Amino acid sequence: MLELATVSLLNGIVYGLLLFMLTSGLTLIFSMMGVLNFAHASVFMVGAYLSYQFARWVGFWPALVIAPLACGLIGAAIERYGLRHVHKSGHVAEILFTFGLAYLIEELVTMIWGRNAVANSVPAVIDFPLFSLFGSSFPAYKGLMMAISIAMFVFLYVALKRTRIGLVIQAALTHPQMVGALGHDVPGIFVLVFAVGSALAGLAGVIGGFMLLTQPTLANAIGPIVFVVVVIGGLGSLGGALIASMLIGILQTFAVAIDYSLLDALRAAGIAVTRASPLYDFYSIKVATAAPIVPYVLLVLMLIVRPRGLMGKRDV
Amino acid sequence: MLEVDDLHAYYGKSHILQGVSFTVGDGEIVSLLGRNGAGRSTTVKTIMGTVPPVGSIRFNGDRIDGLRPHEIARKGLGYVPEDRAIFPTLTVRENLLLGVKSTTRKGRWSMDDMFALFPLLRERADAPGGVLSGGEQQMLTICRSLMGDPALLMVDEPTEGLAPKMVALVRELLEKIAARGIAILIIEQKLTIALAICHRLYVMGHGRIVFEGNALELRADDSIRREWLEV
Ligand SMILES: Nc1ncnc2c1ncn2[C@@H]1O[C@H](COP(=O)(O)OP(=O)(O)O)[C@@H](O)[C@H]1O
Ligand SMILES: [Mg+2]
């Protein structure tokens, strides 16, 4: 039991950190520009594919750098040549634009790499047991994922809190017009934030590609979870996104590992339930089977109890 | 210094500024007066480029209409909005630092000058801007714009809602700024300090300039005051 808990916790933290890498960019972009970028998860997917491709051409370590940089450039181009022009037509147009982009990216990826999953397996250099715990080993690539995520957040935090450009970004979160009137190039800052946010999504794609299947539906698989995290954390709040990412990462990982159902719990409590009881099928669903809906249950509860999310400043 | 000629502005379909023309000379204090909704705030927003201008705006001889707000600010225009727009989560010091436009070119004003102008800012330097009182925020927002070394400072309703003591401080601050040769365009409705400190003034109504003169001439003109200012 303790073994299961520790292993699940470690896996949950890895998954949570991955989610945060994805949501931090999205939430920064949202609070500055008021636009929820539905193509964000697609950039994540592109990161996974690019890392697969570059790893085959030039090896894993260069790919780990090239794929996020390429995603950053893609993000900058999306803002500079797409969203900036659509912005004049209002929020609905912006959202439709990012939706369209998500479909476009999915089709492009299918054209290039095919409809089936590519063999994006963990490279040999990082595929060895790092340490063992209660007899089960913790693989090195998960250690690397954690190290990269944590290093990324330290870098982001310092950049945001300790540099002049970080100060400009923080101010633009609440008063973009005033920041412009003080002589700072706000459109330029938008491109930068979009680029960094997309590069982070790309980096998450590189390391997430090992955990999830690298196939054209990857964006659709992760996208909804990302939005759930952003809403639960509070739109536009980095701290909230961190807490919500870890919460969902850990909860979902634990749920997957629990091989019991409500039925077992009822029986353990001495309540007799038979096939004839009403809702028997419902009781007998194993928690692990229901794990994928955990985030959405949280989302619905959060929207009812506290629509602004854990740390958000405005309602959804 | 600032020449606005036949300026129009629109919010969607509504035609707000309907041909506004006025000037501000070097080192001059000019007031833009009028009732709520006359279009004074829209005028300065249009000059700053946050509302798209139609017409001609010149600053030191260069056309600035059509430039983006940060480019306009870098030409030497300072803007203090009526909502003050303090960055609430950032400290007072960080608010002031954000007023600096370029780290390479040194301006006339330093952080210490600001602390000397309004010592409370030194005491509250590490407090978040959001916790200051309305009057303190007004002083902070003016000082923040000064850090950008403007040649012309446009201040929208700086005394609105302030206690008489703070009003006196704001007036003193604006006079000190003007004494350093900086031109000021001050917007007011209630004529709390504008008449006392301005060299010239304009009265706006329904998106047009309806009177141009100085404080003496306005005092002498009952009909203008009754029609365009008194509530
Ligand atoms: N963001 C806006 N959208 C639509 N109409 C606006 C907006 N801001 C101001 N207005 C309208 O423009 C007119 C002028 O407003 P404003 O320039 O704020 O006047 P003043 O500053 O002189 O009180 C008013 O009728 C006001 O209702
Ligand atoms: Mg106004």
Side-chain angles (χ1 to χ4, degrees):
Chain A
M1 194 62 206
L2 185 65
E3 173 196 335
L4 180 74
T6 317
V7 171
S8 289
L9 187 66
L10 275 175
N11 283 333
I13 290 173
V14 171
Y15 185 44
L17 284 171
L18 183 76
L19 283 180
F20 181 60
M21 215 185 274
L22 261 170
T23 48
S24 50
L26 189 65
T27 213
L28 269 187
I29 290 167
F30 173 79
S31 35
M32 280 193 153
M33 308 185 214
V35 39
L36 258 185
N37 176 16
F38 282 90
H40 198 71
S42 308
V43 175
F44 163 83
M45 173 169 76
V46 169
Y49 272 104
L50 288 182
S51 94
Y52 158 77
Q53 195 62 58
F54 279 104
R56 289 185 55 171
W57 285 339
V58 292
F60 171 70
W61 296 111
L64 180 62
V65 177
I66 297 172
L69 286 183
C71 288
L73 284 180
I74 293 172
I78 292 176
E79 205 291 326
R80 180 64 186 80
Y81 301 104
L83 269 182
R84 186 176 297 185
H85 299 285
V86 181
H87 182 74
K88 297 180 191 84
S89 322
H91 280 334
V92 175
E94 286 174 318
I95 288 176
L96 287 177
F97 172 76
T98 64
F99 255 120
L101 211 55
Y103 283 114
L104 181 70
I105 292 176
E106 184 178 328
E107 289 306 322
L108 282 177
V109 160
T110 311
M111 272 166 61
I112 300 174
W113 285 285
R115 207 158 278 290
N116 298 325
V118 295
N120 188 11
S121 53
V122 180
V125 275
I126 51 169
D127 198 13
F128 57 90
L130 197 59
F131 57 86
S132 355
L133 211 70
F134 308 111
S136 57
S137 61
F138 188 73
Y141 80 90
K142 283 193 180 164
L144 179 74
M145 283 167 75
M146 277 170 110
I148 290 178
S149 322
I150 293 171
M152 215 57 235
F153 306 141
V154 172
F155 163 78
L156 259 194
Y157 184 84
V158 171
L160 215 50
K161 294 286 176 194
R162 295 275 178 271
T163 68
R164 188 175 154 79
I165 200 116
L167 214 54
V168 175
I169 292 174
Q170 286 185 71
L173 291 179
T174 55
H175 293 86
Q177 290 214 334
M178 190 64 223
V179 174
L182 288 172
H184 305 289
D185 181 4
V186 177
I189 298 281
F190 281 3
V191 175
L192 179 76
V193 169
F194 230 93
V196 173
S198 302
L200 278 181
L203 185 63
V206 177
I207 53 192
F210 306 141
M211 275 173 70
L212 308 155
L213 280 178
T214 305
Q215 55 187 10
T217 52
L218 178 59
N220 290 332
I222 198 88
I225 309 271
V226 170
F227 285 103
V228 170
V229 169
V230 170
V231 171
I232 290 183
L235 287 172
S237 160
L238 267 183
L242 176 62
I243 296 173
S245 301
M246 300 314 286
L247 187 75
I248 291 194
I250 292 172
L251 269 183
Q252 207 177 2
T253 313
F254 265 92
V256 168
I258 297 176
D259 197 24
Y260 297 101
S261 62
L262 205 52
L263 194 63
D264 299 311
L266 290 174
R267 286 194 177 139
I271 302 170
V273 188
T274 65
R275 280 196 182 279
S277 314
L279 293 177
Y280 176 83
D281 289 333
F282 175 74
Y283 299 140
S284 50
I285 297 174
K286 293 213 189 310
V287 174
T289 318
I293 68 162
V294 167
Y296 307 105
V297 172
L298 275 179
L299 172 71
V300 171
L301 287 180
M302 183 56 89
L303 285 175
I304 293 170
V305 178
R306 192 175 153 84
R308 65 186 46 192
L310 289 174
M311 296 175 71
K313 294 188 177 64
R314 52 189 147 184
D315 287 351
V316 177
Chain B
M1 153 162 287
L2 178 72
E3 296 154 75
V4 176
D5 191 27
D6 195 25
L7 183 64
H8 296 255
Y10 302 79
Y11 287 119
K13 284 209 170 60
S14 41
H15 189 178
I16 303 293
L17 298 188
Q18 312 192 348
V20 172
S21 305
F22 69 96
T23 62
V24 179
D26 281 334
E28 216 181 4
I29 306 184
V30 173
S31 299
L32 194 54
L33 309 172
R35 287 205 188 96
N36 257 337
R40 300 155 302 153
S41 298
T42 305
T43 303
V44 278
K45 284 179 191 163
T46 311
I47 295 171
M48 267 331 277
T50 51
V51 173
V54 180
S56 148
I57 308 169
R58 285 175 191 279
F59 188 64
N60 289 332
D62 302 336
R63 287 286 289 261
I64 57 165
D65 48 280
L67 296 186
R68 292 184 297 170
H70 71 275
E71 296 167 327
I72 293 171
R74 286 180 191 173
K75 293 222 175 243
L77 261 93
Y79 167 53
V80 177
E82 59 190 323
D83 65 4
R84 293 162 197 157
I86 292 299
F87 309 127
T89 52
L90 303 183
T91 65
V92 167
R93 191 191 308 277
E94 289 170 332
N95 267 276
L96 289 172
L97 278 176
L98 278 168
V100 181
K101 290 166 189 151
S102 150
T103 44
T104 47
R105 211 179 44 114
K106 241 183 131 37
R108 274 173 288 184
W109 307 86
S110 70
M111 185 81 71
D112 282 330
D113 293 332
M114 299 304 130
F115 292 160
L117 280 171
F118 189 44
L120 189 124
L121 293 182
R122 188 197 301 275
E123 284 165 40
R124 311 296 295 274
D126 297 309
V131 307
L132 300 192
S133 75
E136 291 161 5
Q137 290 195 351
Q138 186 63 54
M139 299 293 277
L140 174 59
T141 180
I142 295 174
C143 288
R144 181 177 65 185
S145 292
L146 268 191
M147 294 287 286
D149 201 10
L152 165 65
L153 188 64
M154 302 188 289
V155 202
D156 198 346
E157 306 268 13
T159 60
E160 182 63 26
L162 300 190
K165 233 173 146 175
M166 284 313 298
V167 169
L169 278 177
V170 169
R171 173 179 170 172
E172 204 182 302
L173 178 61
L174 291 176
E175 285 176 322
K176 280 182 188 160
I177 294 168
R180 297 276 287 257
I182 293 168
I184 298 179
L185 178 68
I186 172 171
I187 292 180
E188 258 199 339
Q189 182 197 350
K190 294 184 189 140
L191 315 183
T192 320
I193 60 173
L195 292 191
I197 66 173
C198 74
H199 304 131
R200 285 191 307 120
L201 58 83
Y202 295 87
V203 178
M204 268 188 93
H206 303 323
R208 292 196 175 84
I209 301 284
V210 293
F211 178 86
E212 173 184 353
N214 59 32
L216 271 178
E217 288 159 2
L218 181 67
R219 284 204 179 93
D221 198 331
D222 275 347
S223 64
I224 287 290
R225 286 209 317 273
R226 226 174 300 125
E227 193 175 350
W228 299 108
L229 288 170
E230 281 153 19
V231 243

